[in-house]
Amino acid sequence: MISQRVLKMKKSAIHEMTRLSKQFEDVAFLSWAKPTSGTPEHIRQGAISAIQKGITDGYSPTDGIEELRKEIVAKLHRDNNIKADLSEIIVTVGAIEGLAAAVMAVIDPGEEVIVPTPTYSTHIRQVILASGKPVMVPLIEDKEFTWDIERVKNAITPKTKAILYCSPSNPTGTVFLEQELRKISEIALANDLMVITDEAYEYFVFDDHQHFSIGSIPEMKKNCISTFTFTKTYAMTGWRIGYVHADQEVIQHIRKAHIPFAICAPVVSQYAALAALQGSQECVKKFYQHYSATRNLMCERLDRLDSVFSYQRPGGSYLMFPQILIDEGKDSVAFCKRLLTEAKVSATPGRAFGPTGERHIRLSFCVEEEMINKAFDRMEVYFK
Ligand SMILES: Cc1ncc(COP(=O)(O)O)c(C=O)c1O
């Protein structure tokens, strides 16, 4: 009764850990990749006033309300150096629906999509859901999880159709360098591949790292689909609102996939997103400062556990991906289960992020400093 493509999808280790964590009291949570702060008040008010005006009860145009799309065009121009036209934007149900519609629009059954490993597990599932084949190309961990360009080239076959990545990365926190992404674009153009990006953490980039949108390269116009979200930037996880940009020739086909998934993005959330883009950006700065401080704290606390973990300092996002040095780390799922039951610390097993994720845990620093200290105080006792 059940399709092969869904049967091929493994149970999510992330959701499994969340379910298990709920069985314990007073857990120190470092396993959730969602902002713990609430949505800023002026954004909530934008939604409330739209409800009160009675303009949120029906569908919006499939692509989203024009006012919002105009703001998105201005933002893409200003912050991503992407010269988008209004007709090239679709507002989606989070970045996730934009990505799913993009993958559906590009991938035929049996076609291959190159994804770096470790990577965000949802990308792998989306390719499987489109009956495509994810081809995992390991990143170079010792070099801060950078692309192995030769391996990417060698992974290309006549069936390769696309490259799909997130930067800044979930789970590693890597911000891919402009020069690396330019090489990826050269490979894409030489082999006529589509590059699909997930830029969910674009505003959370630390030190001298810089976020680069591959869609800003003029030659990539017809070979790139870029997805973005309000989820992380404005702590709007539950509003389910994001957007996708692609050239007109491509976006018209993404639209065909978007309609049966969603018809349109939630209209009330579109008005909240409008308030987010039109209002003060102080909240983004505040989130940034918070994550920057919690990243530093998490790195300091990891330094004190250097016989248990080694790590690459994350350049962006609010996630990091330490390697487990002790023997028990061979099986990251068993390791995380023990950490939860015996130390009451919840982390995500690295195996969820592709084959090279094993022997790692993903830790999230979008929490209060007290949560990080509580988790690490417990781990210091546990690993003594
Ligand atoms: C890389 C990445 N992309 C997308 C999402 C989810 O985005 P949205 O809520 O906009 O669908 C997440 C959430 O954890 C993520 O880590």
Side-chain angles (χ1 to χ4, degrees), residues 253-326:
H253 299 290
I254 298 177
R255 184 177 299 117
K256 286 190 272 177
H258 164 66
I259 295 171
F261 280 149
I263 300 184
C264 65
V267 178
V268 65
S269 304
Q270 294 191 49
Y271 283 100
L274 183 62
L277 287 179
Q278 288 181 335
S280 160
Q281 302 301 299
E282 265 315 296
C283 54
V284 186
K285 272 193 209 145
K286 261 205 205 138
F287 294 146
Y288 170 86
Q289 278 156 1
H290 177 64
Y291 301 147
S292 172
T294 50
R295 177 200 65 154
N296 293 346
L297 173 64
M298 188 169 272
C299 291
E300 278 163 30
R301 296 297 312 243
L302 275 164
D303 288 339
R304 284 159 53 179
L305 274 177
D306 61 356
S307 57
V308 184
F309 300 112
S310 69
Y311 68 91
Q312 303 291 328
R313 195 175 177 81
S317 82
Y318 44 58
L319 302 158
M320 59 189 299
F321 205 57
Q323 191 177 128
I324 313 160
L325 302 175
I326 56 177

Side-chain angles (χ1 to χ4, degrees), residues 30-216:
L30 299 180
S31 53
W32 285 346
K34 68 177 172 77
T36 39
S37 355
T39 304
E41 197 47 41
H42 67 283
I43 300 177
R44 290 180 178 162
Q45 285 306 326
I48 290 167
S49 95
I51 292 171
Q52 283 166 342
K53 284 184 204 150
I55 52 177
T56 60
D57 299 343
Y59 296 129
S60 73
T62 288
D63 288 358
I65 54 175
E66 187 167 322
E67 240 181 318
L68 173 59
R69 288 188 300 122
K70 279 187 179 158
E71 291 293 342
I72 290 171
V73 165
K75 175 268 179 189
L76 286 175
H77 198 289
R78 184 186 66 233
D79 293 353
N80 304 91
N81 198 22
I82 294 177
K83 316 274 183 293
D85 187 79
L86 198 61
S87 60
E88 297 172 339
I89 309 291
I90 299 176
V91 180
T92 54
V93 185
I96 292 301
E97 190 255 322
L99 284 161
V103 170
M104 281 296 188
V106 170
I107 305 303
D108 272 323
E111 287 184 332
E112 295 174 0
V113 180
I114 292 178
V115 286
T117 165
T119 198
Y120 182 41
S121 51
T122 301
H123 295 165
I124 300 171
R125 285 155 199 279
Q126 287 175 325
V127 173
I128 296 173
L129 203 55
S131 297
K133 183 176 167 208
V135 174
M136 322 259 192
V137 176
L139 296 168
I140 310 173
E141 180 163 2
D142 299 348
K143 293 190 183 158
E144 297 179 21
F145 291 107
T146 46
W147 286 95
D148 189 334
I149 295 294
E150 280 315 301
R151 278 181 99 150
V152 175
K153 284 184 187 161
N154 292 337
I156 292 172
T157 74
K159 288 191 169 165
T160 310
K161 194 72 173 290
I163 300 173
L164 167 56
Y165 70 83
C166 48
S167 179
S169 160
N170 176 359
T172 64
T174 312
V175 183
F176 293 135
L177 297 171
E178 175 176 342
Q179 71 208 56
E180 279 180 280
L181 292 177
R182 287 193 179 274
K183 283 188 193 145
I184 294 291
S185 78
E186 283 163 21
I187 296 172
L189 291 171
N191 294 280
D192 200 21
L193 307 179
M194 187 65 81
V195 174
I196 305 172
T197 73
D198 176 346
E199 305 181 38
Y201 298 95
E202 60 180 323
Y203 290 104
F204 304 127
V205 166
F206 313 115
D207 311 327
D208 52 356
H209 294 274
Q210 285 202 334
H211 176 66
F212 179 73
S213 294
I214 203 166
S216 66

